[in-house]
Amino acid sequence: MKSDCIQTTICQERKKDPIEMFHSGQLVKVCAPMVRYSKLAFRTLVRKYSCDLCYTPMIVAADFVRSVKARDSEFTTNQGDCPLIVQFAANDARILSDAARIVCPYANGIDINCGCPQRWAMAEGYGACLINKPELVQDMVKQVRNEVENPRFSVSVKIRIHDDLPRTVDLCRKAEATGVSWITVHGRTVEERHQPVHYDAIKIIKENMSIPVIANGDIRSLKEAENVWQITGTDGVMVARGLLANPAMFAGYEETPLKCIWDWVDIALELGTPYMCFHQHLMYMMEKITSRQEKRIFNALSSTSAVLDYLTDHYGI
């Protein structure tokens, strides 16, 4: 675990607490937890383009607690990386609270992943299977609340919905009663992947809650984010793939501007981003602004110097 931010107060005094943001009446724009992608360099980039709150990729709490190597590789932050939520995959209250205590000095809060539909996660008792275990979710929230002394440290959950929506509302009410700070709702069931998002379900959940709710699912532009915010009545929107394709979308850009691409190059090189990750992000960002032939050439590049030469030659910067 690498960090220049030693005290939580440093982070929280420089930026609003997420809870304060959610009560501002303004749209809170959130970068989703994305395995491999929502790491420090990418979080730094989207913060330059009007992203209000960022999540780390999902981290398996048991590995994080057990292994210093896992902590160093999975969680990197710095003083400008706030407000920040660390998302954990967990199925044990004690292990989760231990993980929360480790990250507490470096983050604004933790999030419990109750929405990942991947088979490996569900087989381990993580992710979306937890929407069917409300008592375990309550136990984990309580344990973190009891173990972390900072009263401003948030504990949130990210869920998918049930086919039977009243079950989801019941889950959310139980989580709220236990002291959860806010809930992010991905408006699909565990089985759904690319089907339309049930924004009506998110709206119903929000109407039944007094804590903040974040809407998530298939948001690809600032206009769409504002529309989803309005129709669901939620307090914020969370975006994943839309930000990968256009990290500047929250600032109102319809496609990735060249300045954003060069900002990514500067940030990634400064922070020592591995080449595979550096290149993959650029492939996503340039999807809409390159031809098929250009994609073939760019995607086959195999070194940082080759990428820099390509960008300089083709975009004259």
Side-chain angles (χ1 to χ4, degrees), residues 197-216:
V197 177
H198 303 286
Y199 295 120
D200 56 334
I202 300 176
K203 182 175 188 287
I204 290 168
I205 292 167
K206 173 58 187 172
E207 289 170 348
N208 281 273
M209 309 298 293
S210 57
I211 56 172
V213 174
I214 302 175
N216 173 232

Side-chain angles (χ1 to χ4, degrees), residues 19 216-217 272 286:
I19 291 293
N216 173 232
M286 296 168 64

Side-chain angles (χ1 to χ4, degrees), residues 15-187:
K15 296 276 188 177
K16 281 185 178 179
D17 277 345
I19 291 293
E20 292 175 10
M21 290 182 179
F22 291 131
H23 289 110
S24 70
Q26 303 297 310
L27 169 62
V28 180
K29 302 179 285 290
V30 185
C31 175
M34 291 178 277
V35 173
R36 294 187 301 278
Y37 295 124
S38 62
K39 296 200 170 187
L40 176 60
F42 188 71
R43 298 195 301 266
T44 304
L45 179 66
V46 296
R47 291 186 197 278
K48 286 176 70 77
Y49 291 91
S50 302
C51 184
D52 298 312
L53 176 64
C54 291
Y55 281 55
T56 68
M58 179 183 76
I59 299 169
V60 176
D63 296 341
F64 190 81
V65 169
R66 183 172 55 240
S67 165
V68 173
K69 185 177 179 182
R71 293 198 284 277
D72 286 344
S73 65
E74 295 295 326
F75 181 53
T76 304
T77 188
N78 62 23
Q79 216 169 332
D81 187 28
C82 351
L84 177 66
I85 304 301
V86 181
Q87 190 188 66
F88 285 112
N91 58 15
D92 181 279
R94 168 56 63 186
I95 290 172
L96 179 64
S97 66
D98 287 346
R101 282 193 291 118
I102 292 169
V103 300
C104 179
Y106 312 102
N108 292 75
I110 63 144
D111 184 81
I112 306 169
N113 186 318
C114 303
C116 178
Q118 293 185 42
R119 287 179 185 172
W120 75 265
M122 295 182 66
E124 294 287 339
Y126 304 141
C129 71
L130 292 174
I131 65 173
N132 298 316
K133 300 177 181 179
E135 290 77 18
L136 175 55
V137 174
Q138 286 182 293
D139 190 32
M140 290 194 286
V141 173
K142 280 181 190 171
Q143 188 83 13
V144 175
R145 281 269 174 254
N146 290 337
E147 293 293 326
V148 175
E149 293 180 1
N150 181 358
R152 299 170 74 187
F153 191 77
S154 65
V155 184
S156 56
V157 297
K158 183 172 186 287
I159 66 170
R160 284 189 171 232
I161 60 174
H162 298 86
D163 288 315
D164 179 21
L165 192 60
R167 289 184 64 196
T168 315
V169 171
D170 180 62
L171 167 71
C172 293
R173 282 176 170 163
K174 285 177 177 175
E176 179 178 17
T178 313
V180 86
S181 305
W182 68 82
I183 294 174
T184 301
V185 183
H186 181 92

Side-chain angles (χ1 to χ4, degrees), residues 157-285:
V157 297
K158 183 172 186 287
I159 66 170
R160 284 189 171 232
I161 60 174
H162 298 86
D163 288 315
D164 179 21
L165 192 60
R167 289 184 64 196
T168 315
V169 171
D170 180 62
L171 167 71
C172 293
R173 282 176 170 163
K174 285 177 177 175
E176 179 178 17
T178 313
V180 86
S181 305
W182 68 82
I183 294 174
T184 301
V185 183
H186 181 92
R188 291 188 176 98
T189 66
V190 176
E191 292 76 25
E192 291 174 326
R193 292 295 185 272
H194 304 292
Q195 292 89 336
V197 177
H198 303 286
Y199 295 120
D200 56 334
I202 300 176
K203 182 175 188 287
I204 290 168
I205 292 167
K206 173 58 187 172
E207 289 170 348
N208 281 273
M209 309 298 293
S210 57
I211 56 172
V213 174
I214 302 175
N216 173 232
D218 274 7
I219 297 166
R220 304 297 178 123
S221 69
L222 179 59
K223 188 174 181 180
E224 287 183 9
E226 290 170 338
N227 184 49
V228 168
W229 178 53
Q230 293 288 346
I231 65 174
T232 60
T234 49
D235 305 278
V237 296
M238 176 183 282
V239 178
R241 285 175 293 187
L243 279 175
L244 282 180
N246 178 10
M249 67 161 275
F250 281 146
Y253 292 91
E254 291 298 316
E255 58 187 30
T256 310
L258 287 178
K259 183 181 184 306
C260 182
I261 290 172
W262 284 101
D263 282 340
W264 168 247
V265 171
D266 290 342
I267 291 165
L269 295 183
E270 181 183 348
L271 292 175
T273 301
Y275 175 74
M276 290 276 290
C277 180
F278 168 68
H279 188 215
Q280 187 70 55
H281 273 292
L282 285 169
M283 287 162 61
Y284 279 121
M285 290 181 208

